[in-house]
């Protein structure tokens, strides 16, 4: 068995996204075609599989980091905003897409709320099995 960190993340996320399409709890929201992922983006994403790819990325981050929350993931997926003549600044991404993915993964039994001192969500044993089964 190989460690998730040693696998190419792009290929791994694509395979995990295909596996997440099979799970009935993961459904792409109807409003996803109309919203931007962050305020530093100019337009909404055009990729039809974006939602599943982002969900795969979030689950991979949860496996690597241990406990993740919406605020930490917003920082992870944020970017540089260049507002005209002002200096560029970092802005966090939107939280609704991330929150929806975390709620759906919790409903699917892949994640659970953290029971320790640190707030956030962590993978369940079923979620770890799913992530480790992808090679």
């Amino acid at each position: 068995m190989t460690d998730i960190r040693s696998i190419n993340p792009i290929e791994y996320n694509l395979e995990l996204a295909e596996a997440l399409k099979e799970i009935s709890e993961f459904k792409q929201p109807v409003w996803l075609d109309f919203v931007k992922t962050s305020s530093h983006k100019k337009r909404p994403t055009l990729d039809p599989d974006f939602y599943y790819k982002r969900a795969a990325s979030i689950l991979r981050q949860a496996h690597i980091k241990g406990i993740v929350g919406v605020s930490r993931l917003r920082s992870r997926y944020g970017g540089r905003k260049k507002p005209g003549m002002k200096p560029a600044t970092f802005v966090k991404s939107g939280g609704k897409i991330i929150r929806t993915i975390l709620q759906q993964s919790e409903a699917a039994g892949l994640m659970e709320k953290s029971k320790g001192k640190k707030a956030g969500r962590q993978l369940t044993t079923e979620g770890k099995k799913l992530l480790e089964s992808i090679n």
Side-chain angles (χ1 to χ4, degrees), residues 40 79-83 86-91:
H40 75 278
R80 189 181 129 187
K81 184 173 186 173
K82 180 77 173 93
K86 297 178 184 176
T89 58
F90 177 83
V91 292

Side-chain angles (χ1 to χ4, degrees), residues 33 49 61 65 69 91 97 106 118 124-125 135:
D33 296 334
D49 290 337
Q61 286 295 314
K65 303 285 185 188
V91 292
I97 296 172
E106 196 172 349
K118 196 172 180 184
T124 60
T125 55
N135 286 329

Side-chain angles (χ1 to χ4, degrees), residues 3 9 15 33 41 43 55 65 73 86 89 91 115 132:
D3 186 29
E15 290 179 19
D33 296 334
K41 299 285 186 177
R43 301 198 180 270
K65 303 285 185 188
L73 290 171
K86 297 178 184 176
T89 58
V91 292
K115 296 179 177 106
E132 291 170 357

Side-chain angles (χ1 to χ4, degrees), residues 112-130:
E112 64 184 0
K113 290 193 177 174
S114 174
K115 296 179 177 106
K117 292 181 181 179
K118 196 172 180 184
R121 289 183 174 93
Q122 61 189 10
L123 287 174
T124 60
T125 55
E126 183 180 332
K128 289 178 184 177
K129 285 179 188 176
L130 174 69

